[in-house]
Amino acid sequence: MTEPQASNAPSARVRWERVTQRPLLGLTVAFAVAYAAPIVDSSASRSLTSVCTAAEWTVWACFAVDHLVRLALTPSRRAFVRAHWPDLCAVVLPLLQPLRLLRLVSTLLLVGRRARMASQIRLTTYVAGSVIGLLMFGSLAVLSVERDAPHGNIRTLGDAVWWSFTTMTTVGYGDHAPTTGLGRMIAVGLMLSGIALLGVVTANIAAWFIARFDKDDDEERRRTEAIEALTAEVRALRAEVAALAARGDGPRTGRVPRG
C-alpha cells in the first residue's frame, strides 16, 4: 500500500480569510458611509441616525464574528489569542462602553489587522489606505465632538480635514485645535499614527535602497570573481605552454617539404 502524501492545501482558517476578505472590505465601506452620514448632515432625521447606528453595530458584529470563527478554526487557540490580542481588545472594547467613538476605533483596528493578513495587499497600498482612512475618520470624529463644544473652533468639515492634515503631519499650525477631552484624545491618536506611518514609509524607502545597493554589490562581486577565475585560467595556460616549450614539445611551426 502507498503511504498518503502530505497535503499542501491551505488550512480552514486560511480558506475562511480568503473567502471573507472582499465581503469584509465591502462592510468597511458601508461602515464609513454609516459613520459619516449623520456627521456631515447635522440635520439628519432621527430615523436616519438610528439606521446608521444599527449599520455600525452590524459591521462591528460581522468583524467580531469573523474573529471568533478564525479562533474556532485555529488548532492552537492560545497561540492565536496571544498573537492577535489587539483583535480581541477591539472586539470587547465597544461592549464595555457602547460609545460611538469606541465603535469607530474598534472597527478600524479590526479592519487594519484583517487587511494586514492578506498577502496580496502590498505595504504601499496598506500605508496609503491607512493614511486616507485616518484622515477621513479623524476628521469626522473630531467634527462630531467639537462642532457643538462651547469654545470649539472646528465647526465645518473643511476645518476638520485641515486640522487632521496638520495634526497627522505633526505641523500643527494652531489655527484649529480641539478643546474637549475626546477631541484631544483623537488628536493624540492622529499624531501617534502619523509618526508611525512616517516611520513605516521611511523604513520602506531605506530598505529599498539597501536592497538595491546589495544587489549591485552582489553583481559586482560576481563579475570580480569571474574575472579572477579567468585570470587564473590564463596564467595556468601560460605556465603549461612555457613548460611544453622548455621540454621541446611545443608546436612546430616549420613548413612540411612537398613530395
Side-chain angles (χ1 to χ4, degrees), residues 56-77:
E56 292 174 17
W57 277 110
T58 301
V59 173
W60 169 84
C62 290
F63 275 96
V65 170
D66 171 70
H67 176 74
L68 294 177
V69 171
R70 289 191 290 120
L71 176 62
L73 295 176
T74 303
S76 180
R77 296 179 182 178

Side-chain angles (χ1 to χ4, degrees), residues 10-256:
S11 63
R13 181 169 66 88
V14 173
R15 292 196 302 269
W16 169 265
E17 290 172 356
R18 291 176 180 175
V19 171
T20 58
Q21 178 183 343
R22 291 186 179 180
L24 290 178
L25 181 60
L27 288 175
T28 305
V29 176
F31 178 87
V33 174
Y35 183 81
I39 298 176
V40 175
D41 185 10
S42 58
S43 60
S45 61
R46 184 179 298 273
S47 58
L48 176 61
T49 303
S50 300
V51 170
C52 292
T53 301
E56 292 174 17
W57 277 110
T58 301
V59 173
W60 169 84
C62 290
F63 275 96
V65 170
D66 171 70
H67 176 74
L68 294 177
V69 171
R70 289 191 290 120
L71 176 62
L73 295 176
T74 303
S76 180
R77 296 179 182 178
R78 290 185 179 180
F80 181 84
V81 172
R82 286 195 299 267
H84 300 85
W85 62 268
D87 298 21
L88 181 61
C89 294
V91 169
V92 177
L93 189 63
L95 294 178
L96 300 179
Q97 184 61 265
L99 290 176
R100 196 158 185 255
L101 185 59
L102 290 183
R103 289 200 302 277
L104 170 63
V105 173
S106 64
T107 305
L108 288 179
L109 285 174
L110 291 171
V111 170
R113 298 283 296 181
R114 192 66 168 77
R116 218 171 304 177
M117 296 173 188
S119 58
Q120 62 268 35
I121 297 181
R122 298 182 180 274
L123 179 62
T124 304
T125 306
Y126 180 77
V127 171
S130 299
V131 170
I132 295 173
L134 286 171
L135 284 174
M136 181 181 66
F137 286 108
S139 302
L140 294 172
V142 77
L143 180 62
S144 66
V145 300
E146 291 291 327
R147 180 164 49 195
D148 298 328
H151 304 288
N153 56 10
I154 302 176
R155 304 292 185 183
T156 65
L157 183 60
D159 294 340
V161 172
W162 170 250
W163 172 84
S164 295
F165 267 108
T166 58
T167 302
M168 278 197 66
T169 54
T170 66
V171 174
Y173 280 102
D175 51 350
H176 296 288
T179 58
T180 62
L182 282 176
R184 290 169 180 169
M185 289 176 60
I186 296 171
V188 171
L190 278 180
M191 283 185 266
L192 295 177
S193 300
I195 294 172
L197 288 174
L198 180 61
V200 170
V201 173
T202 304
N204 192 29
I205 294 175
W208 183 84
F209 276 110
I210 292 173
R212 183 67 181 177
F213 292 150
D214 289 341
K215 182 179 179 181
D216 294 340
D217 291 342
D218 292 339
E219 292 179 357
E220 185 67 25
R221 191 179 302 110
R222 286 194 293 269
R223 292 194 193 101
T224 303
E225 292 175 353
I227 293 173
E228 290 177 353
L230 182 60
T231 303
E233 291 179 2
V234 171
R235 288 175 180 173
L237 287 174
R238 286 180 178 177
E240 185 176 353
V241 170
L244 292 174
R247 294 200 303 266
D249 297 335
R252 299 180 183 274
T253 59
R255 294 183 178 179
V256 177

